[in-house]
Amino acid sequence: MTQTQTQKPDGMAAYIAVTAAYWAFMLSDGALRMLVLLHFHTLGFSPVQLAWLFLLYEFMGMVTNLSAGWIAARFGLTATLYAGLVLQIVALVGLAQLDPAWSLLGSVIFVMVVQGVSGVAKDLAKMSSKSAVKLLAPTGDGALFRWVAVLTGSKNAVKGAGFLLGAVLLGLWGFVPSIWGMAGVLAVILIAVATLMPAGLPRGKKGTKFREVFSKDRNINLLSGARMFLFGARDVWFVVGIPIYFYAVLSDGSEAGNRAAFFQIGSFMAVWIIAYGAVQAWAPKLLGARDKPLDQITALAGRWVAILTLVPLVLAGLAALTPEPAGWLTLTLIAGLMVFGFVFAVNSSLHSYLILAFTQAERVTMDVGFYYMSNAAGRLLGTLLSGLSYQLGGLALCLFTAAVMAGLSFLIVRRIGQGGDAAKLAA
C-alpha cells in the first residue's frame, strides 16, 4: 500500500475536522460583525466612524495572510488553525471589556485594536482551511474544484447564519452578554477540535525562508490583483452602505422599531451570505467544471466578472434617481443585490479553484497566503470606501464605486493566461 493510500482515511477525517473548526469560527465572525456594526450605529457613530472600526481588522488580515503562509510552511497547518481559534476567543473577551464611560475616540481605538486581533484570527483560520483542501483532496475528475467549493460555500452559509445570530443576540441579550456567550461556545469547540483532530496535515518544514512568500508566477499575481478588486466591489456596499441605508428605511427610532430593524437587516445579510455560499458550492456543477480544462475555466472568470460589473452600475443609476430612502427602491435593491450575490459567488468560486490549481503542493500555504493577502487588501479598500462613499454621495456613490472596482477586476483577470502562460494553462 502506498503512502497516499494509507493517509486517505486520515486525510478525510482531517478535512472534516478542519471544516468543522472553520464553520465554528465563521459563525462567530459573522455574529461579531453584526453586533459591532449595529451596536455602534445605535450609539451614534457616523458611517465613516463605523468603517474605521473595521479598518484594522482588514489591515491585519493583509499582514496575517502575508506571514501566515510562511508560518504554516514552517510550523504546520494545525498550529495556525488552532492559533486562529484562540485569538478569536481573546478578541471576544477583550471586546466585552468595553466601557460605555470611555470617550468616543477611546472607544473607536479600543474596538479597532480588538477587531485587529479578530482579523488576524480569521485569516489564520481561512489560510489553514483553504490550504488543507489542496493537500487532502483526491486528484482527478474535478475533485479539487468540488472540495474547495464545498468548503467555501458551506463556510459562507455558516457566516450568513452568524449575521442573523448577531442581530438576534443584540436584540435579545444586549452587546456584552452576547460577546461572552460566543467566547464560551468557541472555547468549547476549540477543545473538542483539538481533542479529535486526526493526523493528516503537514507539520511544517524547517528552513523555509520568508522571502519565498512572494510568488514569481504571473498567473497567481494577476489572480491576486483581480481578487482584490472583486472583494472591494462587494464590501464597498456590504460593510456600511446597505446596512445603514436599510436602517434608515426600516427603523422608526423607538426601541421596538430598532429591534425590528436589527432583525430585518440581520435577516437580509444572513440570507445574502447563505445564498452566496450555496451558489459557491453549486458552481462546479453549474459551470460543468468536471469536463473543462484549466484554460476554459480561466476564461469563464473573465466573463462572469464582466456580468458582475453591470449589476451595481444599474443599481447606482436607480439610487441616483431616488436620493431619499423609498420602499420601492428598497425592494429593487434587495432583488438586485441578490443577483449581485449570485454572480459574485460564481466569480469567487472560480477564483478559489484557480489559486489552488495554479499553485504547487510545496508552495500551497505561501501562495494561498499571498492570494488572501490581496483578498484582505480588497476588503480593506472596500471597507474604507464604503463609509467614505456613503457619507459623501449616499448609496448611489457606494454602488457606482462597486461597479468601478468590479470593472478593474475584469481588466486584470482577462490578462491571465496571455502570452507565455497560455501554454501552461492548456497543458
Side-chain angles (χ1 to χ4, degrees):
M1 186 175 286
T2 67
Q3 182 182 13
T4 302
Q5 288 173 322
T6 58
Q7 288 183 348
K8 275 188 178 179
D10 282 344
M12 174 59 78
Y15 175 77
I16 293 171
V18 166
T19 301
Y22 197 30
W23 284 353
F25 184 93
M26 296 313 298
L27 184 69
S28 71
D29 187 68
L32 182 60
R33 179 170 285 263
M34 286 305 294
L35 280 166
V36 170
L37 178 68
L38 294 177
H39 176 69
F40 286 97
H41 177 62
T42 59
L43 294 180
F45 280 41
S46 71
V48 170
Q49 289 168 336
L50 290 171
W52 272 100
L53 296 180
F54 297 102
L55 282 181
L56 193 58
Y57 173 92
E58 304 298 0
F59 176 76
M60 291 309 297
M62 289 176 56
V63 175
T64 302
N65 277 306
L66 186 59
S67 57
W70 172 78
I71 294 171
R74 178 66 176 79
F75 298 102
L77 284 171
T78 306
T80 51
L81 179 62
Y82 293 163
L85 291 168
V86 169
L87 285 175
Q88 182 74 340
I89 295 169
V90 170
L92 288 167
V93 172
L95 195 58
Q97 311 308 311
L98 182 68
D99 190 337
W102 292 348
S103 67
L104 178 63
L105 179 60
S107 297
V108 169
I109 293 173
F110 180 79
V111 176
M112 282 181 65
V113 171
V114 174
Q115 287 286 89
V117 175
S118 182
V120 173
K122 186 191 78 171
D123 284 293
L124 281 173
K126 176 187 283 189
M127 184 281 303
S128 303
S129 303
K130 295 292 179 70
S131 297
V133 176
K134 173 73 173 183
L135 299 171
L136 300 173
T139 58
D141 200 24
L144 179 60
F145 201 165
R146 292 198 304 275
W147 277 45
V148 73
V150 168
L151 176 70
T152 306
S154 63
K155 175 267 293 186
N156 283 306
V158 170
K159 185 172 182 177
F163 276 94
L164 178 58
L165 176 65
V168 171
L169 288 176
L170 183 62
L172 295 180
W173 288 4
F175 185 70
V176 174
S178 299
I179 294 293
W180 276 115
M182 289 197 301
V185 171
L186 203 58
V188 171
I189 291 171
L190 170 61
I191 294 170
V193 170
T195 302
L196 300 174
M197 177 71 78
L201 295 181
R203 296 180 180 273
K205 183 175 65 174
K206 294 182 179 180
T208 304
K209 306 297 184 184
F210 183 78
R211 63 176 179 270
E212 296 176 25
V213 167
F214 298 96
S215 177
K216 297 179 181 178
D217 188 303
R218 180 174 181 271
N219 286 331
I220 288 175
N221 292 331
L222 287 172
L223 182 64
S224 297
R227 183 78 171 187
M228 180 180 72
F229 287 111
L230 178 70
F231 270 75
R234 182 198 66 176
D235 280 8
V236 77
W237 61 263
F238 189 84
V239 174
V240 173
I242 281 294
I244 299 308
Y245 177 86
F246 282 171
Y247 185 85
V249 173
L250 298 171
S251 177
D252 60 7
S254 66
E255 183 176 348
N258 287 347
R259 287 182 177 177
F262 290 162
F263 179 78
Q264 292 175 78
I265 294 167
S267 296
F268 169 76
M269 305 294 273
V271 169
W272 194 94
I273 291 285
I274 291 169
Y276 160 55
V279 173
Q280 279 187 309
W282 180 46
K285 186 175 182 179
L286 172 69
L287 300 172
R290 176 180 295 186
D291 304 319
K292 286 184 171 61
L294 184 56
D295 59 339
Q296 291 185 24
I297 295 178
T298 303
L300 284 173
R303 293 172 200 158
W304 279 91
V305 76
I307 298 170
L308 184 73
T309 305
L310 298 176
V311 179
L313 194 61
V314 171
L315 294 177
L318 293 174
L321 295 174
T322 313
E324 296 298 324
W328 74 267
L329 179 60
T330 301
L331 294 176
T332 303
L333 287 170
I334 291 172
L337 293 175
M338 294 305 290
V339 172
F340 181 99
F342 180 91
V343 182
F344 179 81
V346 175
N347 275 282
S348 181
S349 188
L350 285 164
H351 284 199
S352 294
Y353 164 72
L354 287 173
I355 183 59
L356 295 181
F358 288 156
T359 190
Q360 302 299 314
E362 61 272 13
R363 279 195 52 86
V364 61
T365 61
M366 290 180 285
D367 283 343
V368 169
F370 180 77
Y371 165 79
Y372 279 112
M373 180 201 69
S374 301
N375 191 110
R379 296 196 311 265
L380 174 66
L381 182 61
T383 298
L384 177 61
L385 292 178
S386 185
L388 190 61
S389 61
Y390 190 85
Q391 190 145 325
L392 293 177
L395 188 61
L397 185 56
C398 260
L399 293 167
F400 179 75
T401 306
V404 171
M405 298 185 84
L408 291 172
S409 182
F410 166 73
L411 293 176
I412 295 172
V413 82
R414 66 196 295 251
R415 296 177 60 197
I416 296 175
Q418 291 183 355
D421 292 318
K424 187 190 299 184
L425 292 185

